[in-house]
Amino acid sequence: MTAPPAETAWLLHHVLGFEAMAEADTAAVLQEATRTAEGVLAPLDRDGDRIGSQFVDGAVVTPPGFHDAYRAYAEAGWVGIAANPDHGGQGLPYVLALAAFEPVSSANMAFGLCPMLTQDAIALLEAHGSPDQQARLLAPMVSGRWAGTMCLTEPQAGSDLAGVRTRAVPDADGRFRVTGQKIFITWGEHGMTENILHMVLARLPDAPEGSAGISLFAVPKLLPDGAPNGVRCLSIEHKLGIHASPTCVMGFEQALGELVGPANRGLPSMFAMMNAARLGVAMQGVAAAERSFRRATDFAGGREQGGGPIMQHPDVRRMLWTQRALALGGRLLTLYAAMHAEDARGQLLIPVAKAWCTDAGVEAANLGVQVHGGMGYVEETGAAQHLRDVRITPIYEGTNGIQAITLLKRGLLRDQGAAVAALLEEIAAADYASPALLHAVDTARTAADWLRRADPRAGEAGAAPFLQVIGTLTAAWLCGRVLAHGDAPPAAHAAAAVFVDQILPRIHGQAAALATPTQALVDTTAIA
Amino acid sequence: MTAPPAETAWLLHHVLGFEAMAEADTAAVLQEATRTAEGVLAPLDRDGDRIGSQFVDGAVVTPPGFHDAYRAYAEAGWVGIAANPDHGGQGLPYVLALAAFEPVSSANMAFGLCPMLTQDAIALLEAHGSPDQQARLLAPMVSGRWAGTMCLTEPQAGSDLAGVRTRAVPDADGRFRVTGQKIFITWGEHGMTENILHMVLARLPDAPEGSAGISLFAVPKLLPDGAPNGVRCLSIEHKLGIHASPTCVMGFEQALGELVGPANRGLPSMFAMMNAARLGVAMQGVAAAERSFRRATDFAGGREQGGGPIMQHPDVRRMLWTQRALALGGRLLTLYAAMHAEDARGQLLIPVAKAWCTDAGVEAANLGVQVHGGMGYVEETGAAQHLRDVRITPIYEGTNGIQAITLLKRGLLRDQGAAVAALLEEIAAADYASPALLHAVDTARTAADWLRRADPRAGEAGAAPFLQVIGTLTAAWLCGRVLAHGDAPPAAHAAAAVFVDQILPRIHGQAAALATPTQALVDTTAIA
C-alpha cells in the first residue's frame, strides 16, 4: 500500500542527482521505513480513523496501539532520522528523511503528524536555540521521549499571524510566563510521550504591534521537576479526517517558557522552519495519492464485472494511472524542491510543491473513491478515509491560496521574474524536450509575463492557476527525465508518460484562464 | 442557502425558452419550494448528518424530525408535483419539477432522496404499469402515503445489471414470489410512510441468460391486508455522507409481487425511467454546488482577516465565483437537457449532465471547504458535510465512467457523430458567439472526429475527457445566452462571465489529453 522503495531510490539517484549516499544504502533506508510503515503503522490506520483520539476528562486518549507504535517508531530512530548526531540523531540527509516519510504517511497519515511536528520543533531548536537549549531540549525530542508541537494560530487571527495576542511576561531566571489560547494545535496533547515541548508564538510586554513584535517560546507540558506547567488542552476538534490526530485548543495560563532566538524575531525563525514543514505536507499529499492508488488498484484487479476485472476497462485505467502519475509527479517535484531547499530554485518551488502535491493528493484520493464505485462510498472499504484524511493538506501549513500568493509575490514579482525565467530556460534546454514540453514552456512564459504586467488584483486572481502551471510543468520536466532514461523501472516509465500526455496539457487552460481576469474576480463588491 | 428562485425562473424563461407557464407562476412555484426547503428541510440537515439513520433491531430509525417533514412535504404536494392529476398529481411540467427539486436537495440532500426515488417509481408505473396497477398503486405514492424504491444492484453484479440473480416464481392470482438480495437500496426501509413499494429487477424461471431475461416487479413492504411481505432490511451501510438516507441491504424471501410491463423487458422499462433519474442526480450536483457556494460566501463575507473580510481577496473570489459558475452552468445544462428529454439532443446530453454536474458538485463543495480554511475541516461548520454528501453523486445512477462510455458509444459512434455535429453547429451559429467559444467548438469538433476514428480502446480511454469537453462547452454556450441578454440578473451575468473566461478554457487540455492515448491506458497488463 506504499510506494516501491527501490523505485523511489532510483528516482533520487538517476533522476534527481542525489549522491550523498550509495543507491543501495538509500534503498535500504527506504525499505526499512516501508517495513515499519506497513508492519507497525498501517494496521492501526483503520481503527485510528474509526475510534479516533478522544477527549475524556481533560485528557486526550489516543486510539489502540498508538502508544506502542510511537515507542517502536522512535526507538528505531525515525524521529531523529535527520537530526544532528550530537543530540542523538542519525544525521541522514534531509532529502532522504523526507523520502522515508512518504511510506509512513501513506500507512497512517494521522500517526505521522506526531513525529512530523516533533521534527519541525527539532529543526527550530537546531536553527535558533542557544547551545544550552540545544543541550537540554534536543536529545529527548530526537530520541522520541518527548514530542513537539507548533502553537501559532489563535481564534481571532487564522492565517494572519500578525494578529497573535498571546502574551509572554518575564519571570525569574530569564524565563517567561506565557498566557493565551491557541487553536488547531496538531497533537497538542497526548500521553504517547513523557513530555511535550510546545513552540509558541507570543508577544513580549513592550513588543511592537504586528508581525515585528512576535517572539518564539519553548513551553513544556511538564516542568523539569515533573510538575505540570500552566498548559491545558481545552478541547479537541471533530474533524472530517485524521481522526487519530488530536487537533487541540490549547490554553496557556502563566505557563513557564523560555525564549528561543532573539526577542521579536519569532516570525522569521518560524519562517525558516516553514520550508521543511511545507515539504513535509507536500509529501503527505504524495503519500495519500500513492496509498489511494494502491488500494484502488487492488480493488480494480480483483473486482470482476462483465467477464473480467474492471482494471481492464480503459476508463478505469485512466483513473488508476492518473493517480499513479500524480503521485510520481508530486514525488519528483517535492524531492527536487527539497534538494534545492537552500537556493533560489527551492525558494521558488517549495510553495509550489506544497500546494500542487496536496491538490494532487485530493484529486488522486477522489479518483480512488470513484474506482471503487458504490464500495468507495462505504467507509469499511477505506478509500473514503484517504480522501477525508488528505483533505486537510491543502489547508494547513499555509492554505494553498497563500502558497499561490507567495509564488506570485516572492517567486515571480520580487525578482522581476528571474527565478521563473531561469527555471523555464532550463526546462526548454533539456535535450529530451518534446514539442509538447516546449509548447508548455511557451505557455508558462507567456503567463509569467502577463502576471508581471498585470494589475495587482488581477495578478492575485491568477495566482492559483499560475501555481498549477508551474507545478505541472516542473513535474512534467522531471517526468521527462524518467522517460529519457534508458533504464527506468517500467511502472515509473509508464506513469511518467501518462503525466506528460494526460496531465501536462491542463496548463494551457489554466494559463488562458489567468490571462482573462473576469471583472467579478477583481472587484470588491459583495457576492450573492 | 439555496438558489434565488427568481433567477432560476428567469433562466428557464429567457435562456431556455420554457413557455409552458407564465414566468410569474414558475417563480411562484420555485419560491414555494424554496420556502419549504429552507423552512422545513434545511433545519434537519445537520442532525440528519450527525445522528443519521440507525439500524436498530431490524428497523431503520430515521433522524429527529424526518417523519413530520416527510408528511408536510407530501401533503404540500411536492412528491406528486409532476405526476398525472388522474392519480392525484399536480401535473406540472417535468422541467419545473426538476427545477423545484434543486432547493430541496440543497437544503437536505439525504431527505430529498426519498421523494426522488418515489418519483422514479411513479414514473416507472406511469410508463409501464397496467391500468389496474396504476389505479391501485399510483395514488398512495403520489400522495406520499407510500414511498418507492429502486431495487437493482446485487452483491455479485455491481454496475452490470445483466448479472442479476434474484428469482421470481409464478404464484396464485398472476402474482409472483420474489427471492434474492439487493444492495445499495436508497431509503429501502423506514417508517416515514405507511408502506413502501419496491421496484425490483428479477428473473423469471425460464428467462434467457443475461440482460434479455430480466423482468420488473412491484413488491410492497406490506400486503394489501396489512400483513408483512417477505421483504426485510438486513443492514444499512456506514457511508461517507448522506447519513440520514438509509442505504439498505434488502432481503426478499418469497415476497409477493406483481410483474410490471412485459416479461423479460425489465431493463428497457428501467432504462426509460433512467433519464429522469439521471437528471435528478445531475440536479443534486447542482444543488450541492449552490449550497456550498452560499455557505462559503456567508463565511467569507463575515471572516475578517488583515483588515477586511476574506471575500475581498481575489484568490478567495476566484473560488467563490467558480462555485457559483459551476452551479449556474450545471443548472443550465441540466434544465436544457430536461427540456429536450424526448429528442436526440436530450439523449445526447442527459449522460453528460449527470456526469458533468456531479463532478462539478464535488469540485464546488471541495472549494467550499477550502474557502473556510481550517474551519472547513471541522465538521461543526457544515462545509465538509456538503463534500461528503455530494461525493455519492458521481457514483450512483450509473458511475460517471459509465455515462462517459454511453456518450461515446450511443451519443457519438452510433449515429456517426450526427447528434454531436448538430450540437456543435448550433453552438457555432450563435449570434453572440465569441472567438473563445468558436475556438472551443473547433476543439470539440476535432476531439469528436478523433474519437470516431480511434481504436476502440483508445476511444474508451478518451471518453471521460470527451464528456467534460461536451459538458463544459454546452454549459458555456448557454452561459453565453445569459451574457447576450440585455436584462440578466447581475449575479447570473457575472457567474456566466466567470464560466466562459475561467472554466471553458479547460476543454483544450482535455481535448489534447484524449487525442494522446498513452499506451498504459489502452493495454491490458496489470498495473503496479
Side-chain angles (χ1 to χ4, degrees), chain B residues 25 30 107 146 155 179 184 195 204 216 296 347 351 355 368 386 395 409 435 442 445 499:
Chain B
D25 294 337
L30 296 175
W146 296 9
T179 301
F184 295 143
N195 201 354
L204 288 165
L216 176 64
Q347 295 305 305
H386 302 316
I395 294 173
K409 294 191 174 169
D442 278 344
R445 191 176 283 131
F499 196 102

Side-chain angles (χ1 to χ4, degrees), chain A residues 317 366 391 461 502 516 523, chain B residues 317 366 391 502 516 523:
Chain A
R317 297 178 75 83
N366 192 49
R391 187 60 192 82
Q502 307 298 318
T516 318
D523 69 19
Chain B
R317 298 178 75 83
N366 192 48
R391 187 61 191 81
Q502 307 299 317
T516 319
D523 68 20

Side-chain angles (χ1 to χ4, degrees), chain A residues 393-468:
Chain A
T393 61
I395 294 173
Y396 63 19
E397 207 57 51
T399 65
N400 285 2
I402 290 175
Q403 308 298 330
I405 299 296
T406 302
L407 170 66
L408 176 72
K409 293 192 175 170
R410 298 183 180 224
L412 181 70
L413 301 180
R414 195 164 59 173
D415 72 356
Q416 288 83 47
V420 170
L423 172 67
L424 297 181
E425 276 165 35
E426 189 173 345
I427 295 174
D431 53 14
Y432 55 78
S434 63
L437 190 67
L438 293 174
H439 177 38
V441 169
D442 278 344
T443 293
R445 191 177 283 131
T446 304
D449 290 346
W450 190 93
L451 285 172
R452 287 184 53 212
R453 284 191 283 265
D455 168 85
R457 286 185 65 84
E460 286 187 38
F466 183 62
L467 185 145
Q468 289 297 319

Side-chain angles (χ1 to χ4, degrees), chain A residues 65-438:
Chain A
F66 271 56
H67 273 76
D68 291 346
Y70 197 84
R71 180 154 335 167
Y73 187 81
E75 284 175 1
W78 294 112
V79 177
I81 178 174
N84 190 326
D86 292 349
H87 308 113
Q90 297 198 51
L92 290 178
Y94 167 67
V95 171
L96 180 58
L98 186 64
F101 181 64
E102 189 197 322
V104 171
S105 194
S106 277
N108 197 322
M109 182 177 150
F111 176 95
L113 277 162
C114 190
M116 180 169 151
L117 272 290
T118 303
Q119 285 165 343
D120 290 345
I122 291 170
L124 261 184
L125 284 169
E126 285 187 342
H128 306 290
S130 67
D132 169 63
Q133 286 172 326
Q134 292 185 355
R136 281 184 293 113
L137 303 176
L138 278 172
M141 287 207 290
V142 168
S143 70
R145 288 192 297 117
W146 295 9
T149 79
M150 295 291 136
C151 296
L152 283 63
T153 305
E154 299 184 8
Q156 77 290 346
S159 297
D160 181 20
L161 293 176
V164 158
R165 289 189 198 150
T166 294
R167 316 299 299 192
V169 179
D171 196 72
D173 308 329
R175 293 194 294 179
F176 296 82
R177 293 280 180 182
V178 176
T179 301
Q181 193 178 107
K182 298 286 183 176
I183 60 171
F184 295 143
I185 307 308
T186 299
W187 287 96
E189 169 56 14
H190 57 85
M192 298 204 301
T193 52
E194 287 174 23
N195 201 354
I196 301 172
L197 191 65
H198 302 286
M199 308 303 289
V200 184
L201 292 182
R203 287 183 186 283
L204 288 165
D206 300 319
E209 281 300 296
S211 57
I214 295 171
S215 305
L216 176 64
F217 297 86
V219 180
K221 171 183 171 182
L222 301 178
L223 295 168
D225 62 3
N229 199 358
V231 185
R232 277 202 309 147
C233 174
L234 303 177
S235 64
I236 69 174
E237 306 294 348
H238 175 217
K239 306 189 300 297
L240 177 61
I242 50 169
H243 292 163
S245 167
T247 302
C248 302
V249 177
M250 298 298 296
F252 294 84
E253 182 66 40
Q254 302 279 329
L256 271 172
E258 49 193 290
L259 183 66
V260 176
N264 299 330
R265 298 287 297 163
L267 280 190
S269 296
M270 201 56 97
F271 283 133
M273 180 276 301
M274 269 185 194
N275 275 339
R278 286 174 176 177
L279 289 167
V281 173
M283 197 52 98
Q284 289 184 309
V286 172
E290 183 73 28
R291 172 81 180 268
S292 171
F293 157 70
R294 296 204 169 268
R295 190 185 286 282
T297 301
D298 271 10
F299 179 86
R303 176 77 172 173
E304 300 275 332
Q305 204 154 95
I310 63 169
M311 185 195 278
Q312 288 184 359
H313 294 310
D315 181 67
V316 173
R317 297 178 75 83
R318 162 179 290 283
M319 293 192 275
L320 294 171
W321 277 111
T322 300
Q323 291 183 284
R324 200 190 201 290
L326 290 168
L328 174 69
R331 185 179 301 119
L332 288 167
L333 176 60
T334 301
L335 294 174
Y336 177 83
M339 290 190 64
H340 289 272
E342 304 303 322
D343 62 35
R345 181 64 54 84
Q347 294 306 303
L348 178 71
L349 289 181
I350 285 171
V352 174
K354 192 276 176 184
W356 194 94
C357 294
T358 55
D359 283 344
V362 172
E363 179 182 350
N366 192 49
L367 286 169
V369 171
Q370 190 68 22
V371 168
H372 284 77
M375 295 304 296
Y377 202 63
V378 174
E379 288 286 2
E380 279 76 359
T381 318
Q385 184 191 338
H386 301 318
L387 177 59
R388 290 189 289 99
D389 283 353
V390 74
R391 187 60 192 82
I392 186 59
T393 61
I395 294 173
Y396 63 19
E397 207 57 51
T399 65
N400 285 2
I402 290 175
Q403 308 298 330
I405 299 296
T406 302
L407 170 66
L408 176 72
K409 293 192 175 170
R410 298 183 180 224
L412 181 70
L413 301 180
R414 195 164 59 173
D415 72 356
Q416 288 83 47
V420 170
L423 172 67
L424 297 181
E425 276 165 35
E426 189 173 345
I427 295 174
D431 53 14
Y432 55 78
S434 63
L437 190 67
L438 293 174

Side-chain angles (χ1 to χ4, degrees), chain B residues 22-336:
Chain B
E23 184 176 351
D25 294 337
T26 300
V29 171
L30 296 175
Q31 178 62 54
E32 189 56 25
T34 301
R35 206 181 61 81
T36 301
E38 304 238 359
V40 178
L41 305 181
L44 306 182
D45 192 39
R46 170 111 188 82
D47 269 1
D49 178 64
R50 201 173 52 80
I51 300 170
S53 277
Q54 304 285 341
F55 189 61
V56 182
D57 299 333
V60 170
V61 180
T62 47
F66 271 56
H67 274 74
D68 291 345
Y70 196 83
R71 180 154 334 165
Y73 187 81
E75 283 174 2
W78 295 112
V79 176
I81 177 174
N84 191 326
D86 292 348
H87 308 113
Q90 298 198 49
L92 290 178
Y94 167 67
V95 171
L96 180 58
L98 186 65
F101 182 65
E102 189 196 323
V104 171
S105 194
S106 278
N108 196 323
M109 181 178 151
F111 176 95
L113 277 162
C114 191
M116 179 170 152
L117 272 289
T118 303
Q119 287 165 342
D120 290 346
I122 290 170
L124 261 184
L125 285 169
E126 286 187 341
H128 306 290
S130 67
D132 168 65
Q133 286 173 328
Q134 293 184 356
R136 281 184 293 114
L137 303 175
L138 277 170
M141 288 207 289
V142 168
S143 69
R145 287 193 295 116
W146 296 9
T149 77
M150 293 292 135
C151 296
L152 284 62
T153 304
E154 299 184 9
Q156 77 290 346
S159 297
D160 181 20
L161 293 176
V164 158
R165 288 190 200 149
T166 294
R167 315 300 298 190
V169 178
D171 196 70
D173 309 327
R175 293 193 295 179
F176 296 81
R177 293 279 180 181
V178 176
T179 301
Q181 194 179 106
K182 297 286 182 175
I183 59 170
F184 295 143
I185 308 308
T186 299
W187 286 98
E189 169 56 14
H190 57 86
M192 298 204 303
T193 52
E194 287 174 23
N195 201 354
I196 301 172
L197 191 65
H198 302 286
M199 307 304 288
V200 184
L201 291 182
R203 287 183 187 282
L204 288 165
D206 299 319
E209 280 302 294
S211 57
I214 296 173
S215 305
L216 176 64
F217 297 86
V219 181
K221 172 182 170 182
L222 300 179
L223 295 168
D225 63 2
N229 199 358
V231 185
R232 278 203 308 147
C233 175
L234 303 176
S235 64
I236 68 174
E237 305 293 348
H238 174 218
K239 307 187 301 296
L240 177 61
I242 51 168
H243 291 163
S245 166
T247 302
C248 301
V249 177
M250 297 300 295
F252 295 84
E253 181 68 38
Q254 301 279 330
L256 272 172
E258 47 194 290
L259 183 66
V260 176
N264 298 330
R265 298 287 297 161
L267 280 189
S269 296
M270 201 56 99
F271 284 135
M273 180 276 302
M274 268 186 195
N275 276 339
R278 285 174 177 177
L279 288 166
V281 173
M283 196 53 97
Q284 289 183 310
V286 172
E290 183 73 28
R291 171 83 180 267
S292 170
F293 157 70
R294 296 205 170 266
R295 191 186 286 282
T297 300
D298 272 9
F299 179 87
R303 176 76 173 175
E304 300 275 331
Q305 204 157 93
I310 63 169
M311 185 194 279
Q312 289 183 358
H313 294 309
D315 180 66
V316 174
R317 298 178 75 83
R318 161 178 290 283
M319 292 192 275
L320 293 171
W321 278 110
T322 300
Q323 291 182 285
R324 202 190 199 291
L326 290 168
L328 175 69
R331 186 178 302 119
L332 289 167
L333 176 60
T334 301
L335 295 175
Y336 177 83

